[in-house]
Amino acid sequence: MVSRSCSSCNKDLQKVEYSANQWKKGPSAKCKGCIANGGPPASTVKPTPKIDEPLPTSREEKTPAAAVVVDNKAEEEAAAKKKAEEVAAAE
């Protein structure tokens, strides 16, 4: 029997698993299951990284910039509060 790999779920399936229209599409064909369900099951989908964003290489790079700013602001506020308490205690 003739088979082809579904372009959506990457399963090697027989011709009967494709509609006539999809089979005509060749390598870009999607099986009946993927067409009916709007795509492959979540377990077979592998997320692809965005081309315009570099992949994180360390834990620090995974932290969003906004979170870093918030953390720095909290540290600055804590330091200012501590200094104010020291000045008040010295008076």
Side-chain angles (χ1 to χ4, degrees):
M1 289 198 128
V2 181
S3 66
R4 172 175 292 155
S5 180
C6 173
S7 66
S8 187
C9 67
N10 297 317
K11 291 181 181 177
D12 194 34
L13 302 168
Q14 301 297 319
K15 186 175 181 178
V16 296
E17 297 296 326
Y18 296 87
S19 68
N21 187 43
Q22 285 296 318
W23 186 257
K24 290 177 189 176
K25 292 185 177 188
S28 65
K30 294 179 183 175
C31 68
K32 291 177 183 176
C34 287
I35 296 293
N37 297 321
S43 62
T44 62
V45 177
K46 294 182 180 177
T48 53
K50 294 181 180 177
I51 295 173
D52 60 340
E53 294 181 11
L55 294 174
T57 56
S58 71
R59 184 179 177 112
E60 292 173 357
E61 291 182 29
K62 293 179 184 177
T63 304
V68 173
V69 172
V70 170
D71 289 344
N72 289 341
K73 186 174 181 181
E75 290 174 9
E76 289 174 6
E77 289 173 357
K81 182 178 178 182
K82 184 178 179 181
K83 185 164 183 139
E85 289 171 354
E86 289 174 358
V87 171
E91 292 179 349

